[in-house]
Amino acid sequence: MSERTIPLIDQRSSDLATPAAALQAHSRLGARGLLADTLGRPLRDLRISVTDRCNFRCSYCMPKEIFDKDYTYLPHAELLSFEEITRIARVFVAHGVQKIRLTGGEPLLRKNLERLIEQLAQLRTPEGLPLDLTLTTNGSLLARKARALKDAGLQRVTVSLDGLDDAVFRKMNDVDFPVADVLAGIQAAQDVGLGPVKVNMVVKNGTNTHEILPMAHHFKGTGVVLRLIEYMDVGATNGWRMDEVLPSAEVVKRIHAELPLVQLDPSVAGETAERWGYANAAGQHDQAAGEIGVISSVTQAFCADCNRARLSTEGKLFMCLFASRGYDLRALIRGNPIDDDLTSAVAHIWQGRTDRYSELRSTLPADTSGGARRVEMSYIGG
Ligand code: SAM
Ligand code: SF4
Ligand code: SF4
């Protein structure tokens, strides 16, 4: 049987935990109460998925044989409206979130996304500071939308790009999309000031490993930060195998052999990427040449610093990329103009958080879900 022929059971709306029990047991917190989970991790980063649809079919994320013409996406009425997203985001910001990343699916497919960005850009932290507002995109629509995104208040973008060779890239996105259009999107983002632009490259051993060095050469000295990501066992449809993971240590070794690198300090606490700068002849970081990042989600778990919550397109809150159940926040706000329940629920859910999947991965049995399937990356967002 092929690795990918896993029957798909739709877990998006079934058997999802609600915060009702949490609310009952909970003594209410002020919206400004500083939160820490059971492992002492603060809540700082909220990733919001604005659509479960995508125009690509990257095999590691939305394999064609599952996400085909018969696949049922969420109906429009199920999606959070921009006002609902902003309302939820405001509560998270009051609880300590400083950074919001819009994702998907492909976020630029969501109609009028600039309107949402305008609303989110108005939010302020309890200290009165604006948020770090970013977006992850496959870049296919970026050339035409970069200016409007910037004008709406977006600060930066991360663009996913798995190789420079057109044939390799067309195969990886599996919709025959040309690499030149994504490169044009990256250029447009730089031109309008949506930088520093980061480029995410998922490294799949045996598929695009030979693209690592061309990508490093291409982006060195351009101001773009290339980030090489270990292929993850997220979701339940990509047929992930450990032998398709190229450890980040090996990625760094290969680049260093041709373009010498020096390790850099993390720029912020909880940063997922390990930073490496291009070295000058004296072995010092050459600022003009820039840096790369490696994200070792599989071989070097960073759960201890994980300060991220994820909100799905329909308003389910997930505490971990590898979770199978989310908390229905939409149920707490639709038809309820008061934010108290939402505020208490978010506090209680975060304070009860125990998730650290990547740290436990190697010690866990193959299926830890108790029968529930892990959510897909395209649904929860990366
Ligand atoms: N469609 C947008 C994009 O591709 O940038 C945003 C959503 S996508 C789910 C977010 C990020 O997750 C992308 O950078 C993508 O490469 C990454 N991703 C998806 N599946 C992955 C996997 N199995 N392992 C590692 N990264 C993955
Ligand atoms: Fe779409 Fe992004 Fe997933 Fe690729 S990684 S299929 S572009 S959501
Ligand atoms: Fe965070 Fe879960 Fe990833 Fe660990 S496995 S870093 S807890 S999202």
Side-chain angles (χ1 to χ4, degrees):
M1 190 167 79
S2 131
E3 300 285 342
R4 296 217 195 107
T5 52
I6 304 163
L8 185 71
I9 305 161
D10 193 338
Q11 282 289 332
R12 288 170 298 183
S13 49
S14 65
D15 197 24
L16 290 167
T18 73
L23 278 171
Q24 274 167 20
H26 181 59
S27 59
R28 287 171 192 255
L29 277 182
R32 287 176 183 230
L34 267 188
L35 298 182
D37 70 8
T38 61
L39 302 171
R41 298 171 293 189
L43 172 58
R44 290 285 184 234
D45 185 333
L46 179 65
R47 304 199 167 189
I48 303 175
S49 172
V50 293
T51 177
D52 58 343
R53 292 164 193 259
C54 188
N55 54 344
F56 283 13
R57 287 292 176 274
C58 308
S59 59
Y60 52 72
C61 179
M62 294 182 81
K64 233 177 193 168
E65 48 273 51
I66 305 283
F67 295 88
D68 58 12
K69 61 177 180 21
D70 297 326
Y71 185 82
T72 318
Y73 295 94
L74 292 167
H76 197 261
E78 297 285 318
L79 310 189
L80 291 178
S81 67
F82 291 164
E83 288 66 32
E84 287 171 330
I85 292 176
T86 306
R87 197 173 151 196
I88 292 175
R90 184 176 292 114
V91 165
F92 273 86
V93 171
H95 276 315
V97 160
Q98 298 169 337
K99 176 173 172 181
I100 290 185
R101 177 177 297 280
L102 299 178
T103 176
E106 174 44 44
L108 298 186
L109 290 181
R110 180 87 185 244
K111 232 173 133 189
N112 300 323
L113 189 71
E114 309 82 85
R115 302 286 87 77
L116 173 63
I117 292 169
E118 276 167 7
Q119 293 179 33
L120 295 174
Q122 303 299 319
L123 298 179
R124 292 291 175 271
T125 68
E127 297 77 33
L129 299 172
L131 299 177
D132 183 8
L133 193 53
T134 73
L135 174 144
T136 304
T137 172
N138 63 24
S140 57
L141 303 169
L142 192 54
R144 94 180 75 129
K145 298 205 171 185
R147 166 53 61 196
L149 295 170
K150 174 71 181 174
D151 290 347
L154 192 71
Q155 288 163 2
R156 292 182 291 114
V157 287
T158 298
V159 182
S160 303
L161 177 63
D162 296 329
L164 285 175
D165 180 277
D166 199 45
V168 172
F169 182 64
R170 283 178 191 258
K171 194 153 181 279
M172 285 190 82
N173 63 54
D174 216 5
V175 293
D176 211 27
F177 196 87
V179 75
D181 291 15
V182 179
L183 292 174
I186 293 170
Q187 189 58 52
Q190 283 194 295
D191 292 346
V192 302
L194 282 171
V197 175
K198 291 178 182 164
V199 165
N200 277 357
M201 173 181 182
V202 175
V203 178
K204 209 172 164 189
N205 202 8
T207 304
N208 63 341
T209 29
H210 54 293
E211 287 295 301
I212 295 172
L213 276 164
M215 288 279 281
H217 277 288
H218 182 83
F219 290 113
K220 184 177 174 219
T222 63
V224 169
V225 180
L226 173 64
R227 307 194 317 162
L228 302 112
I229 304 179
E230 286 178 353
Y231 171 38
M232 282 188 284
D233 50 335
V234 66
T237 58
N238 63 11
W240 181 88
R241 296 198 323 252
M242 187 64 201
D243 63 4
E244 288 181 316
V245 178
L246 184 72
S248 292
E250 179 60 28
V251 171
V252 170
K253 208 165 118 190
R254 288 188 192 186
I255 298 177
H256 180 68
E258 201 165 308
L259 300 167
L261 297 168
V262 282
Q263 191 161 5
L264 306 177
D265 290 334
S267 48
V268 286
E271 188 167 55
T272 49
E274 186 181 284
R275 299 171 59 213
W276 292 83
Y278 290 110
N280 58 21
Q284 311 281 315
H285 179 208
D286 174 358
Q287 306 275 350
E291 62 182 81
I292 61 159
V294 288
I295 303 185
S296 321
S297 334
V298 177
T299 60
Q300 253 192 314
F302 37 78
C303 302
D305 291 322
C306 181
N307 53 20
R308 284 179 294 286
R310 292 180 158 85
L311 183 66
S312 79
T313 316
E314 56 179 344
K316 302 264 170 14
L317 176 64
F318 290 85
M319 293 289 105
C320 176
L321 197 48
F322 296 90
S324 16
R325 291 189 171 80
Y327 299 87
D328 187 359
L329 298 189
R330 194 186 66 197
L332 297 176
I333 58 166
R334 263 198 195 165
N336 176 5
I338 314 289
D339 283 343
D340 287 8
D341 288 351
L342 175 64
T343 300
S344 305
V346 169
H348 195 85
I349 293 165
W350 189 264
Q351 287 172 324
R353 178 179 185 246
T354 56
D355 303 71
R356 53 189 187 108
Y357 172 82
S358 288
E359 277 183 1
L360 303 175
R361 178 186 279 108
S362 58
T363 63
L364 291 172
D367 181 4
T368 55
S369 60
R373 287 169 67 91
R374 277 190 212 146
V375 285
E376 294 299 324
M377 190 100 155
S378 54
Y379 163 71
I380 196 178

